[in-house]
Amino acid sequence: QQLHHTEIQLRSLILCSLCTTSIISMATCADERNGSLESYDAVDFEDPEKIKWIDSGHQYIGQQIYRPTKQPAEELRDCGWFKVKDFVDAVPIEDAEESNTDSPKLVERRMRFRAFPIIEEDFIDHEEVLILTEAQVAAGIKAGKEEMESRNKSISFDHPLGGGIGSMVTLRANHDTSRQYTVVGFNTAVGSSVSEKAKEVNQHQVLLLPEKTDDKEAFWASLVSKVEDDEEILTCEIIGDTKGTVYKLEQSDYEIESPAYQACESIINYLKRHKHADVFLEPVDPVALDIPTYFDIIKKPMDITTLFENLE
């Protein structure tokens, strides 16, 4: 039965993998084979300078797309960013009969777009201008969104408090002033650039709710990690605070309401209920038990009661 259950899980993982569309496949799903019937009008664009391009009047103008910079594209690193600059409208067939149906109209030449490489981005190493169909641009926009979402997800995994929703933290302005807050949200403000340099301007943020105070309004704070005395510490500044006070942020992962505390407490309670727990419930008294060499042998004694006190 266990083997059957494992097999079902493996099959499920394989199916999920097969149903996942790669970004390269997404970006090139509307590409056409050169010389085939589907690319019948490609010859009209062999000399793009003869085309009267229009730089306004279409929703795709100014859009960024993500697609291969060379063919065939085998890896994601073969892809790059382009920006749609202009387009040329479709040319209908003059003698074609007008139809009231919803079927596509016959054209001698389909609409095309010119997409220019974003050459100011360091990771773009090409200068080719692409001539794309409307479907190819749509595919490139979709692939671009998926690529940015993928990058943002990888960034969020690095958030210092990314898994700490509901945990307690303490903000200290100095040794005398401190207040406790509950982490109720987190975010990573991503730079607008699509380059790898955008990671340099990413800013981790955390949404904090004050504890044990009349002021129950949550606020955002930006996080900064720095090293002091060979120790990495986390500091934050409250967004919108004109004073610019820098707080030291201390994580309290083991507050009573936190999942970590409750997990540890359940383990200790399990130890208390163990059938052999009696002799481990309280600290050993070497005097009462007349074992003066106890601490010579047991260098780090521990018992369940002390364990629970340490947790609290």
Side-chain angles (χ1 to χ4, degrees), residues 12-22 26:
S12 176
L13 289 173
I14 293 173
L15 288 174
C16 289
S17 177
L18 291 175
C19 293
T20 302
T21 303
S22 69
M26 189 180 301

Side-chain angles (χ1 to χ4, degrees), residues 206-309:
V206 62
L207 185 61
L208 300 175
L209 181 66
E211 284 290 312
K212 300 177 182 179
T213 176
D214 295 334
D215 183 13
K216 285 293 183 178
E217 185 176 352
F219 59 86
W220 286 98
S222 59
L223 303 179
V224 177
S225 179
K226 62 180 183 179
V227 177
E228 285 187 1
D229 299 328
D230 297 329
E231 180 183 358
E232 185 175 3
I233 64 172
L234 200 60
T235 64
C236 72
E237 294 184 27
I238 299 175
I239 297 177
D241 180 14
T242 56
K243 297 180 180 179
T245 305
V246 178
Y247 298 87
K248 181 179 179 182
L249 188 146
E250 299 175 353
Q251 295 178 257
S252 306
D253 293 333
Y254 300 103
E255 292 294 329
I256 294 178
E257 299 299 326
S258 72
Y261 182 97
Q262 294 174 2
C264 293
E265 186 180 38
S266 66
I267 294 173
I268 295 176
N269 289 335
Y270 171 79
L271 294 175
K272 285 182 178 180
R273 295 191 299 268
H274 196 278
K275 61 182 180 180
H276 298 307
D278 290 349
V279 295
F280 299 101
L281 288 176
E282 300 293 337
V284 173
D285 188 345
V287 177
L289 297 175
D290 193 23
I291 45 176
T293 59
Y294 176 79
F295 291 114
D296 295 334
I297 300 173
I298 308 299
K299 302 296 183 181
K300 296 181 179 180
M302 183 53 61
D303 60 274
I304 296 176
T305 299
T306 303
L307 193 64
F308 187 76
E309 290 176 353

Side-chain angles (χ1 to χ4, degrees), residues 121-181:
E121 309 300 344
D122 291 344
F123 71 108
I124 297 292
D125 58 356
H126 61 94
E127 298 181 358
E128 182 182 0
V129 177
L130 301 182
I131 308 296
L132 304 172
T133 65
E134 195 169 9
Q136 286 177 304
V137 174
I141 293 174
K142 176 64 176 176
K145 292 179 179 179
E146 290 294 324
E147 171 65 9
M148 290 305 296
E149 183 176 342
S150 175
R151 294 186 186 189
N152 292 348
K153 284 182 179 179
S154 67
I155 292 170
S156 66
F157 291 144
D158 297 331
H159 196 289
L161 300 177
I165 300 295
S167 63
M168 300 285 294
V169 297
T170 301
L171 299 190
R172 298 186 184 276
N174 49 56
H175 295 292
D176 300 325
T177 306
S178 65
R179 291 181 64 180
Q180 285 191 320
Y181 303 85

Side-chain angles (χ1 to χ4, degrees), residues 24-94:
I24 290 181
S25 299
M26 189 180 301
T28 59
C29 65
D31 286 9
E32 301 169 345
R33 294 169 294 173
N34 293 330
S36 64
L37 182 61
E38 60 188 357
S39 61
Y40 69 95
D41 56 351
V43 66
D44 295 336
F45 295 92
E46 291 181 352
D47 187 359
E49 298 302 323
K50 294 182 179 180
I51 304 296
K52 187 177 181 180
W53 298 96
I54 307 171
D55 60 6
S56 62
H58 197 283
Q59 60 178 346
Y60 287 165
I61 300 298
Q63 292 281 349
Q64 290 185 353
I65 64 174
Y66 192 70
R67 61 169 291 111
T69 60
K70 63 179 182 179
Q71 295 291 348
E74 298 177 354
E75 300 180 11
L76 198 59
R77 65 185 179 186
D78 296 333
C79 292
W81 291 94
F82 296 81
K83 187 173 184 178
V84 180
K85 181 179 179 181
D86 45 29
F87 79 106
V88 61
D89 213 341
V91 177
I93 297 177
E94 295 181 359

